Amino acid sequence: MDNKTVYLNGEYLPLCDAKISVMDRGFLFGDGIYEVIASYAGNLFHFEQHMERLENSLTSIRLTNPYDRAKWLEKLTPLIDASLDQAIYIQVTRGVASKRDHAFPEIVTPTVFAMSSNIVAFTDLDSGAKAISIDDSRWGLCNVKAITLLANILLRQQAVDQGCAEAILVKDGYVTEGAASNIFAVIDGILITPPKGREILPGITRDVILELASNNGIPYSEDVVSLDALKTASEIWLTSSTREIVPVVQLDNEIIANGKPGPVWKNINQLFQTYKHSKH
Ligand code: PDD
């Protein structure tokens, strides 16, 4: 096992020594929240926005944030390697209860875990990813970054089984997001992404892209996108903290445009690569 140092409940220890109780509600129920924050040259990318989303997720499941933002930064800093692009994973569960009961235990201390892993951004300018569209079988609070990811992993695996990088999820004929990413499409020259709501995770990468579009005169709109409309798109991208902006060149066996990443992606991706290394 990789013996990198991880953080668990106040301690830094080798991954192989990081252990939790089988009575942890994260293990028994998936009762917890997570975050994934990119780190570029030692700086946590849009740390404040990730902290805000973490606070919102914890509030949604009625869990108190174990640390304030300064404390989180202090706890995460030793896990960061400034010479690498990394993803910092944070998980907070409702903690260890004395018995298995769906209702919350009366007294409990949250379990806090964090680790880093290396990320390799998508940089090939001439090829892209394949995706499938699939019925969105998830629950009704997709805006909460819950560790309970069974639907997401089954959906992603269906994509992988078909040689694809991602599953694009469709609810009542409208595209929501990817199994672990947000979606953008260029339709009639306008960059479109579905609006925030309970159907999607409010992605931090998504917000950065909208800001870059706005600041650079790229026409965009936050609007619903039907699967039929998506099939007419000249470009489709999937965005996340770990994969950045991935152009999709094939959807359900149909080649998109000329089967190569499009000009709007090239423009935004260039802006993003410059921006991620700047102070923000
Ligand atoms: N996932 N939508 C879903 C369902 C996600 O799981 C993710 C990210 C995103 C993109 O959010 P952001 O831009 O803030 O990373 C959208 C992370 C990376 C994961 O589960 O590992």
Side-chain angles (χ1 to χ4, degrees):
M1 196 193 288
D2 178 358
N3 242 356
K4 65 186 172 190
T5 299
V6 302
Y7 175 84
L8 181 63
N9 295 330
E11 280 186 277
Y12 294 93
L13 63 183
L15 180 59
C16 63
D17 293 335
K19 305 253 164 52
I20 58 155
S21 164
V22 291
M23 294 307 287
D24 192 282
R25 288 178 61 94
F27 178 69
L28 289 178
F29 294 114
D31 183 1
I33 292 301
Y34 77 108
E35 264 302 325
V36 181
I37 314 175
S39 166
Y40 298 118
N43 294 312
L44 289 169
F45 186 65
H46 281 245
F47 176 71
E48 296 295 329
Q49 287 82 352
H50 280 281
M51 285 292 116
E52 192 182 331
R53 189 172 67 186
L54 176 68
E55 283 153 20
N56 290 341
S57 294
L58 288 167
T59 303
S60 301
I61 71 157
R62 296 160 62 182
L63 202 51
T64 306
N65 196 341
Y67 307 138
D68 63 21
R69 291 184 186 189
K71 197 89 178 159
W72 272 115
L73 194 57
E74 182 194 313
K75 301 283 188 193
L76 299 178
T77 300
L79 301 174
I80 299 171
D81 181 340
S83 67
L84 299 167
D85 284 356
Q86 290 185 306
I88 310 299
Y89 177 83
I90 298 174
Q91 177 169 322
V92 182
T93 78
R94 205 177 304 277
V96 179
S98 57
K99 62 179 184 356
R100 183 180 178 276
D101 184 354
H102 287 65
F104 301 165
E106 266 176 32
I107 305 167
V108 78
T109 309
T111 298
V112 183
F113 173 65
M115 65 177 169
S116 55
S117 51
N118 301 341
I119 50 175
V120 182
F122 185 91
T123 48
D124 186 346
L125 300 184
D126 286 319
S127 74
K130 294 182 193 170
I132 54 165
S133 64
I134 192 163
D135 192 45
D136 189 345
S137 54
R138 299 173 303 160
W139 70 329
L141 292 176
C142 295
N143 54 320
V144 178
K145 204 159 172 61
I147 60 169
T148 333
L149 287 173
L150 197 48
N152 303 61
I153 63 174
L154 290 171
L155 292 161
R156 167 67 71 82
Q157 190 57 41
Q158 283 193 57
V160 171
D161 289 347
Q162 294 181 44
C164 293
E166 184 62 301
I168 292 173
L169 312 181
V170 182
K171 198 169 201 162
D172 303 326
Y174 288 89
V175 173
T176 53
E177 59 181 340
S181 53
N182 289 114
I183 188 163
F184 284 80
V186 178
I187 300 173
D188 296 331
I190 314 270
L191 181 62
I192 306 178
T193 193
K196 287 182 185 173
R198 289 181 172 186
E199 295 77 25
I200 71 164
L201 185 81
I204 308 301
T205 321
R206 173 191 180 280
D207 284 352
V208 170
I209 290 167
L210 291 179
E211 205 180 304
L212 290 173
S214 167
N215 292 344
N216 291 278
I218 298 164
Y220 72 92
S221 123
E222 292 177 81
D223 205 352
V224 294
V225 180
S226 68
L227 181 59
D228 288 343
L230 188 71
K231 291 193 167 160
T232 70
S234 58
E235 297 187 29
I236 299 173
W237 322 329
L238 297 163
T239 69
S240 70
S241 298
T242 45
R243 292 180 170 180
E244 299 184 352
I245 315 169
V246 177
V248 176
V249 294
Q250 189 177 317
L251 172 64
D252 296 334
N253 295 324
E254 295 287 327
I255 303 290
I256 297 154
N258 65 355
K260 292 198 167 183
V264 189
W265 176 81
K266 282 193 178 141
N267 188 5
I268 281 273
N269 191 51
Q270 185 60 53
L271 292 165
F272 187 87
Q273 296 307 322
T274 307
Y275 176 76
K276 78 180 192 186
H277 289 119
S278 67
K279 282 271 163 225
H280 35 256

